Amino acid sequence: KEFVVDFSDTGYSVQEINQKLLDRGIIGGYDLSRCSNMKHCMLLCITEIHTTGDIDNLSESIKEILK
């Protein structure tokens, strides 16, 4: 399942968030900033190969990055 996360109000670009995720060993989402109306948006995809732990790790990592 694919979904878009808007980081407009965070003060971070998707590129910065993806780099911080990569520093933690997590491959982030697709940067949609090439689309004019989605400047600070990231496309994420979660499938059956991702465990609940994987999803929790991504979520917690994003929370920590945005603090």
Side-chain angles (χ1 to χ4, degrees):
K1 305 298 177 189
E2 295 177 350
F3 58 96
V4 175
V5 179
D6 184 351
F7 292 102
S8 295
D9 296 331
T10 67
Y12 290 96
S13 69
V14 172
Q15 183 179 6
E16 291 170 314
I17 293 168
N18 275 338
Q19 183 57 56
K20 290 177 183 289
L21 287 170
L22 193 56
D23 293 345
R24 296 166 181 250
I26 299 169
I27 297 173
Y30 182 76
D31 187 350
L32 293 170
S33 65
R34 295 177 194 147
C35 303
S36 62
N37 62 338
M38 302 186 109
K39 271 196 188 286
H40 298 283
C41 294
M42 176 189 292
L43 179 66
L44 290 166
C45 180
I46 296 176
T47 67
E48 66 278 352
I49 66 166
H50 298 100
T51 66
T52 302
D54 293 336
I55 298 166
D56 290 344
N57 187 30
L58 173 64
S59 176
E60 289 301 316
S61 293
I62 291 173
K63 285 181 195 176
E64 290 172 9
I65 290 166
L66 299 179
K67 285 185 180 177

